[in-house]
Amino acid sequence: MTEDRCRSCDALIIWAETVIDRQRIPLDETPVPGGRFKLDDTYNPPRADYVKTGDPPGSRFRSHLATCKKKGET
């Protein structure tokens, strides 16, 4: 996975592409319970898809756009 740092808050992030339209999306590096995205890291960059009811358990991630403490300050 491609790790990077947020330009605004310097937090570690993972760059992924959305499954539907392949848009790049920054995700928080650390998985959390209740995260909205699951990753398929068989692709490079990994593909992010929304978690759906009935999906098997696994690591879930949050969008860094939703959690950045300094969003928009650069």
Side-chain angles (χ1 to χ4, degrees):
M1 282 190 253
T2 303
E3 290 185 353
D4 203 354
R5 293 218 174 248
C6 174
R7 291 183 197 165
S8 297
C9 71
D10 203 41
L12 283 172
I13 57 173
I14 298 169
W15 285 103
E17 289 182 346
T18 58
V19 170
I20 295 173
D21 56 8
R22 304 249 176 102
Q23 293 293 313
R24 286 174 39 102
I25 183 173
L27 302 174
D28 289 339
E29 185 221 17
T30 306
V32 294
R36 295 184 63 196
F37 294 95
K38 59 185 176 181
L39 286 181
D40 181 349
D41 58 5
T42 60
Y43 294 93
N44 186 18
R47 301 249 172 101
D49 197 5
Y50 285 107
V51 175
K52 298 169 190 72
T53 304
D55 279 347
S59 297
R60 304 296 188 238
F61 298 85
R62 286 186 294 201
S63 167
H64 189 67
L65 297 173
T67 62
C68 182
K69 294 179 174 99
K70 295 187 175 195
K71 171 174 47 181
E73 290 184 18
T74 56

